[in-house]
Amino acid sequence: RTITLDNIAAEADIVFPEEGTFVTGTVAITGTASDINFKRYEIQIGSGAVPTNWETLTENTTPRKANVLFTWESGDLEGEYTLKLIVEDLIHDQVEQIRHVTVDNTFPRAEISVPEPDAIVNGNLKIIGVATDNYFDTYELHLADGVNPEADDWQPIEGRSITPIDNGTLRQFATTTVDDGIYSFRLKVTDKVGQVSTVRRTITIDNVPPQID
């Protein structure tokens, strides 16, 4: 009679996503699911940090080492989820690994209410709008000369802001710091997964009073 001794636990390791990662869209779950007497691996998902119900994303009988375990389409989900990798050997011993992730498939809100498009402005311009997201990271405002500036033409108005704004003042901009003329400015809002929303305005700055001969 032949017997197989198996005292070594299977290897279950999720390399990506890492613990606490923000993810969006198509997610390549990578890692290792392996054992000398490998039988199968399974990846499950549950809602929240401590799920009461689990759904199987994939079940596979081919071992993997430092490779893609499953390509997960997360597009219809939003919020906190838990991923669980289960690796089972031929004597039905199982090893599990858990990863908590936040799924964010909603782009941030970027809106400018003041000034209105093609407004003529002067003095101290209060830029009012919205820069928010459930998983907000930063917003920035940029200014460039003309109606259709090139990518390298944009210059920041102050720095990067880390506080979301909901229908409030985004910046105070002293229009006297630039020459009169037509300008474009841009609001760029980024969330923690790296999704970006932008909105643009074209304005005319006019600080020079008319001349009377």
Side-chain angles (χ1 to χ4, degrees):
R1 178 179 297 180
T2 300
I3 62 172
T4 299
L5 296 178
D6 187 355
N7 292 307
I8 300 174
E11 187 177 358
D13 182 28
I14 299 174
V15 175
F16 184 85
E18 298 177 352
E19 178 67 15
T21 298
F22 285 81
V23 298
T24 187
T26 301
V27 182
I29 301 173
T30 59
T32 294
S34 181
D35 188 71
I36 295 174
N37 300 300
F38 178 86
K39 181 180 180 182
R40 69 180 187 96
Y41 74 84
E42 182 178 354
I43 297 177
Q44 298 179 347
I45 187 170
S47 178
V50 186
T52 55
N53 296 299
W54 295 91
E55 174 188 346
T56 297
L57 293 176
T58 188
E59 189 171 359
N60 201 307
T61 57
T62 303
R64 296 281 192 274
K65 268 194 171 292
N67 209 331
V68 175
L69 301 171
F70 180 66
T71 301
W72 170 35
E73 299 294 342
S74 74
D76 58 344
L77 300 180
E78 193 83 12
E80 186 176 1
Y81 286 85
T82 302
L83 295 170
K84 178 164 64 175
L85 170 63
I86 304 167
V87 181
E88 182 178 346
D89 64 18
L90 292 173
I91 60 171
H92 307 297
D93 284 342
Q94 293 185 345
V95 176
E96 299 179 357
Q97 187 173 69
I98 293 289
R99 286 286 183 267
H100 298 99
V101 299
T102 300
V103 182
D104 181 8
N105 286 304
T106 302
F107 277 77
R109 288 178 62 198
E111 301 173 9
I112 295 172
S113 53
V114 177
E116 296 181 351
D118 302 316
I120 300 174
V121 300
N122 57 24
N124 190 27
L125 174 63
K126 183 182 289 188
I127 303 171
I128 298 174
V130 175
T132 62
D133 189 79
N134 288 337
Y135 307 106
F136 174 86
D137 189 37
T138 62
Y139 76 83
E140 305 167 68
L141 277 157
H142 297 89
L143 184 75
D145 190 16
V147 176
N148 294 304
E150 299 292 332
D152 295 337
D153 294 338
W154 296 99
Q155 299 298 319
I157 303 174
E158 299 180 11
R160 196 173 283 174
S161 297
I162 60 173
T163 302
I165 300 294
D166 190 0
N167 196 27
T169 301
L170 299 165
R171 286 286 187 278
Q172 297 269 5
F173 173 53
T175 63
T176 53
T177 59
V178 298
D179 295 334
D180 282 7
I182 297 175
Y183 290 86
S184 297
F185 70 87
R186 175 183 69 185
L187 169 63
K188 176 182 175 183
V189 185
T190 306
D191 65 18
K192 290 188 181 299
V193 81
Q195 297 176 123
V196 176
S197 294
T198 60
V199 62
R200 288 172 55 170
R201 285 283 185 272
T202 301
I203 58 173
T204 298
I205 294 177
D206 184 6
N207 285 301
V208 177
Q211 300 292 321
I212 299 176
D213 294 332

